[in-house]
Amino acid sequence: MSIVILSSLVLMTLALCLAFVRLYIGPSLPDRVVALELFSSMIVGIIGVVAIATDVPSLLDVAIVMALMAFMAAIGFARFLERGGPRDD
């Protein structure tokens, strides 16, 4: 495993931990949702890096499905807020 792939995995894992902290202590619901979106984006990135490192192209399909699920969750949350869901601002 090259140093670039290893360092990118370490950095993304560190960022994943920081996003989890933000998800846990987020003061409001939108902060937690943004942290969850960041969490899913980093997981997509990690899956992409692992797909490159292992040379398994089917992992990219998993990353695409994960990204689509995160996008649909963001749309659902936006519609929830648009219809007058709980807001802290």
Side-chain angles (χ1 to χ4, degrees):
M1 188 175 295
S2 74
I3 191 72
V4 173
I5 290 175
L6 186 62
S7 62
S8 64
L9 283 176
V10 168
L11 288 175
M12 282 195 279
T13 303
L14 178 66
L16 198 67
C17 292
L18 292 175
F20 184 75
V21 168
R22 184 64 176 176
L23 180 69
Y24 183 70
I25 62 170
S28 66
L29 183 61
D31 291 334
R32 288 187 171 142
V33 170
V34 169
L36 193 61
E37 288 293 321
L38 181 64
F39 199 80
S40 65
S41 296
M42 281 186 269
I43 288 176
V44 169
I46 288 172
I47 291 171
V49 170
V50 169
I52 292 170
T54 59
D55 203 22
V56 177
S58 62
L59 285 177
L60 293 177
D61 295 337
V62 175
I64 290 171
V65 169
M66 181 78 186
L68 286 174
M69 287 175 47
F71 176 71
M72 294 304 287
I75 296 295
F77 179 70
R79 289 193 60 147
F80 174 70
L81 284 181
E82 184 181 74
R83 292 184 180 180
R87 300 181 71 161
D88 293 337
D89 53 348

